[in-house]
Amino acid sequence: MTRSHQPGELLLRLRGVTKQFGAVTALQDIELDIHAGEVVALVGDNGAGKSTLVKVLAGVHQPTTGTIEYLGQPATFDSPGKALEMGIATVFQDLALCENLDVVANLFLGHEVNPWALDEVQMEVRAWTLLRELAARIPSVREPIASLSGGQRQTVAIARSLLLDPKIIMLDEPTAALGVAQTAEVLNLIERVRDRGHGVILISHNMEDVRAVADRIVVLRLGRNNGTFNANISHQELVAAITGASENSVSRRAARKLETADQIGEALQ
Amino acid sequence: MSPSDNIEPRLDRADSRVRHDAGLAGALRGFIDQVRSGDLGMLPVFVGLLLISIVFSALNPVFLAPNNLVNLLFDAAAVGFIALGVVCVLLLGEIDLSIGSMSGLASAITGVLWVGSGWPLLLVIPAVILTGAIVGLIYGFLRNQFEMPSFVATLSGLLALLGLQLYLLGPTGSINMPFSSALVRFGQILIMPAWLSYLVAIIPGTLIVWGARRADAQREAANLSSTGMSVPIAKAGVLTAALLFAVWYLEQGRGVPWMFGVFVAFVAGLDYALRRTKWGRSMFAVGGNAEAARRSGINVRRIRMSAFIVCSSFAALGGVFAAARLASASQQAGTGDVNLNAIAAAVIGGTSLFGGRGSAWSALLGVLVIMAISNGLTLLNLSSSLRYMITGAVLAIAVIVDSLARRSRASHGRA
Ligand SMILES: Nc1ncnc2c1ncn2[C@@H]1O[C@H](COP(=O)(O)OP(=O)(O)OP(=O)(O)O)[C@@H](O)[C@H]1O
Ligand SMILES: [Mg+2]
């Protein structure tokens, strides 16, 4: 990184971003600000548009309408390469790894050391260092990705996003397949990255993780903004924002559980 | 210093679950594991060559005569060049079915410009390769811009290029090339001096040992485990002995053709490009998972374009070699079994039709198998009808092996 940013400095600003896939409107009038030194959690139900938003910022999809400002300048991310170059790295939900290549090749894909005579030793050392930072349990970095477990692959994808020392890092359900220790390491890592003055966008369905690290929680519902909260928000309120009603399947289930507990209590008495 | 002397474990040796094969026995065990999981590598080629030699030399002892093998190498170079290009498109999971026509067109252009218009060879050959590059550019454009499947684009190319070839050759239908010219001598008689052939035979082994030493030293310095020298030395020893024997055997006849030597040099060059450069890495990535490659910032369109350009250019160069070999450019050049031979060679050598797996050496080894079959059948005086059927069957078998190996690899988690 060339210069570090003051905490609180605005890195990314989205206004009125809409994305349509044919008849489906995946995102509508999205507003989002990302500041340096801040973890923004993006939550919402399945199909709410979280991954689509991340892909728009990663240059994978082009927004149908709307403006994106990056470091105070209007910006278009017309290819994934451009977004990476500008300092936005992404861990995609589907990981986007090449199964036929080994761990080192995947980590450095598109950014190999010494393009005309690949420096395998240097890349391997760097790979081990990155993986160690994540407490990765990877037996060999010279095995093809196809032979790794789901969680190991996820670790590789996360390690890859750190490689270029990005200004903003977006993690789309990075801990979905991770073990307890690895999840803790990823959360630690998110805090370390934030403390270095980078912006982090975290997508997760795990509300505990979200409230543990997020400075702000942005809720998407059916492709629209449905409120921005700070980390102190109660579980019920957050669920209500995600599902769109205080009366919802989660609250009903909780109520039912309470009821059965009461009944058992009465029966015992 | 043995690894156990280190208090701090090596960077890559922290996980105790992995068996780290060391030494010769370890390498052998690793190789057997690899083959059983469906990663066959070059194994089918060696089995194939062995079977072919036994069968054909039993049927006709001339097959293994030094001069017959020298002729075989002369024949192999042209198809080998075409197969080398095919490797590039197969790596991306694409195909080029017009390579035969491209080589035919290339020999026609050579005939027209060189014999017909009197251009110097030094201009003719670049012009021919440029033509190939332009054809590849068109295929790449069709694939990128219109998402046209490459087999359709190149199938129409097959006919279009053949048409152009017939048009260029005109009503006479063939152009003969002067036997005393450098090109024809290159294609029919020029032999590498014996000392040079022997020298070349030692190079691969030397490179293996030297490369392994360098890698070991670098890994040692970077606190990575090193593999030790016993395996590379054994590999280099076997390889050098085999190559020296091959050269010695060919020297009992006329020797190693220059044409074949040039082909091998190109194979080595492409091998380096595929394994040791960013371009090569990108080729494998796009063949393995194009969307993942795109999201890593690789310009997938440019990589595809480059593969088609390399393929057609090599096919064009193969056409020049074929013209040199036959001392003519005719309407038959590049037709018949040329297409299939080149594709079969790449697949037999171990390049997968499904993309993401393969090597430049597969073109060399595969073309030896294909040419050995074709040469053996010719010695038996079999008509081309039978030869075509047998070549077709060989390609089918190669593809079946490829598919089965792929399935086995998938179930063993080796991509
Ligand atoms: N490439 C695409 N083509 C068409 N529709 C798409 C595409 N990608 C996403 N969609 C649609 O956009 C909507 C939002 O999808 P998205 O993947 O962003 O959801 P998500 O919030 O990430 O959900 P999840 O929690 O399940 O990952 C869905 O209705 C989906 O069907
Ligand atoms: Mg998603």
Side-chain angles (χ1 to χ4, degrees), chain A residues 211-226:
Chain A
R211 272 186 295 168
V213 293
D215 299 307
R216 268 188 312 136
I217 304 177
V218 173
V219 179
L220 288 190
R221 185 171 137 68
L222 301 176
R224 292 167 185 269
N225 282 103
N226 203 33

Side-chain angles (χ1 to χ4, degrees), chain A residues 50-51 93 172-173:
Chain A
K50 307 178 297 289
S51 300
Q93 193 169 11
D172 194 347
E173 300 196 23

Side-chain angles (χ1 to χ4, degrees), chain A residues 122-169:
Chain A
Q122 197 187 325
M123 290 199 278
E124 189 169 334
V125 170
R126 187 78 206 285
W128 281 115
T129 324
L130 275 174
L131 291 170
R132 198 176 256 187
E133 232 175 275
L134 293 168
R137 291 234 142 265
I138 291 188
S140 161
V141 291
R142 288 300 174 190
E143 286 290 308
I145 290 289
S147 67
L148 299 188
S149 78
Q152 290 170 332
R153 290 178 201 202
Q154 204 151 39
T155 316
V156 172
I158 296 172
R160 178 169 70 178
S161 70
L162 299 173
L163 183 75
L164 298 177
D165 201 6
K167 292 189 174 65
I168 294 183
I169 167 164

Side-chain angles (χ1 to χ4, degrees), chain A residues 226-240:
Chain A
N226 203 33
T228 301
F229 306 93
N230 65 21
N232 304 327
I233 182 181
S234 76
H235 189 75
Q236 276 88 348
E237 277 178 281
L238 194 54
V239 171

Side-chain angles (χ1 to χ4, degrees), chain B residues 38-96:
Chain B
D39 199 350
L40 300 178
M42 310 273 173
L43 194 65
V45 173
F46 290 112
V47 175
L49 277 179
L50 200 69
L51 281 180
I52 292 165
S53 316
I54 294 172
V55 171
F56 283 123
S57 57
L59 292 173
N60 185 345
V62 174
F63 179 74
L64 279 183
N67 267 336
N68 186 50
L69 296 185
V70 172
N71 276 335
L72 197 155
L73 294 189
F74 266 114
D75 292 335
V79 181
F81 263 108
I82 306 177
L84 205 52
V86 173
V87 166
C88 289
V89 284
L90 288 188
L91 272 181
L92 296 195
E94 308 281 342
I95 187 103
D96 185 345

Side-chain angles (χ1 to χ4, degrees), chain A residues 60 80-81 84 92 94 96-100 105 109-112 115-118 120-121 124-125 128 139 146-147 160, chain B residues 11-12 15 18 218-219 222 224 272 276-278 281 284-285 288-289 291-292 294-298 356 413-415:
Chain A
V60 174
L84 281 171
F92 293 98
D94 60 5
L97 298 168
C98 289
E99 300 218 332
N100 59 329
L109 202 55
H111 307 278
E112 286 84 357
W116 294 103
L118 301 183
E120 297 286 354
V121 173
E124 189 169 334
V125 170
W128 281 115
S147 67
R160 178 169 70 178
Chain B
L11 265 179
D12 52 346
D15 198 318
V18 190
Q218 283 176 348
R219 294 179 68 88
L224 291 171
Y272 179 87
R276 306 281 293 139
T277 70
K278 182 173 176 166
R281 203 38 71 77
F284 280 94
N289 184 345
E291 180 59 20
R294 185 173 87 93
R295 291 194 198 165
S296 308
I298 291 173
R414 297 192 70 100

Side-chain angles (χ1 to χ4, degrees), chain B residues 8-332:
Chain B
E8 173 94 348
R10 300 276 179 178
L11 265 179
D12 52 346
R13 286 295 150 88
D15 198 318
S16 56
R17 287 169 302 172
V18 190
R19 186 184 80 210
H20 292 288
D21 295 324
L24 275 180
L28 199 65
R29 201 158 53 156
F31 175 71
I32 293 171
D33 279 355
Q34 195 181 326
V35 169
R36 287 167 64 150
S37 71
D39 199 350
L40 300 178
M42 310 273 173
L43 194 65
V45 173
F46 290 112
V47 175
L49 277 179
L50 200 69
L51 281 180
I52 292 165
S53 316
I54 294 172
V55 171
F56 283 123
S57 57
L59 292 173
N60 185 345
V62 174
F63 179 74
L64 279 183
N67 267 336
N68 186 50
L69 296 185
V70 172
N71 276 335
L72 197 155
L73 294 189
F74 266 114
D75 292 335
V79 181
F81 263 108
I82 306 177
L84 205 52
V86 173
V87 166
C88 289
V89 284
L90 288 188
L91 272 181
L92 296 195
E94 308 281 342
I95 187 103
D96 185 345
L97 297 173
S98 72
I99 38 179
S101 299
M102 185 64 235
S103 72
L105 174 63
S107 59
I109 296 176
T110 311
V112 169
L113 289 184
W114 181 47
V115 181
S117 310
W119 284 33
L121 268 180
L122 280 180
L123 275 182
V124 172
I125 294 176
V128 169
I129 295 176
L130 186 69
T131 314
I134 291 171
V135 171
L137 196 87
I138 294 172
Y139 292 151
F141 180 78
L142 291 175
R143 176 71 182 78
N144 284 336
Q145 226 60 40
F146 304 113
E147 309 259 309
M148 197 165 170
S150 52
F151 82 92
V152 182
T154 57
L155 201 57
S156 45
L158 184 154
L159 204 62
L161 296 179
L162 180 61
L164 192 55
Q165 176 186 354
L166 298 185
Y167 173 80
L168 283 180
L169 289 173
T172 48
S174 88
I175 299 172
N176 291 325
M177 299 177 179
F179 276 97
S180 55
S181 65
L183 186 67
V184 175
R185 280 165 48 81
F186 174 73
Q188 297 191 339
I189 11 192
L190 286 185
I191 293 288
M192 283 164 62
W195 63 266
L196 185 59
S197 306
Y198 283 116
L199 193 69
V200 171
I202 327 181
I203 292 178
T206 319
L207 279 183
I208 289 178
V209 173
W210 177 76
R213 278 196 73 98
R214 217 175 72 121
D216 260 14
Q218 283 176 348
R219 294 179 68 88
E220 193 75 34
N223 192 27
L224 291 171
S225 64
S226 43
T227 37
M229 290 305 293
S230 59
V231 177
I233 287 178
K235 252 191 204 166
V238 172
L239 186 63
T240 308
L243 289 178
L244 283 176
F245 174 76
V247 170
W248 171 82
Y249 194 74
L250 292 169
E251 289 295 338
Q252 305 308 300
R254 286 155 69 199
V256 183
W258 262 114
M259 206 177 182
F260 190 74
V262 171
F263 166 55
V264 173
F266 271 86
V267 174
L270 185 65
D271 179 60
Y272 179 87
L274 285 177
R275 283 191 312 111
R276 306 281 293 139
T277 70
K278 182 173 176 166
W279 173 78
R281 203 38 71 77
S282 307
M283 292 278 288
F284 280 94
V286 173
N289 184 345
E291 180 59 20
R294 185 173 87 93
R295 291 194 198 165
S296 308
I298 291 173
N299 190 335
V300 175
R301 289 167 171 235
R302 203 182 313 157
I303 293 293
R304 268 199 204 116
M305 191 70 104
S306 73
F308 282 112
I309 290 177
V310 169
C311 178
S312 296
S313 306
F314 271 128
L317 202 56
V320 177
F321 275 44
R325 177 83 186 116
L326 298 170
S328 80
S330 73
Q331 293 185 339
Q332 275 74 46

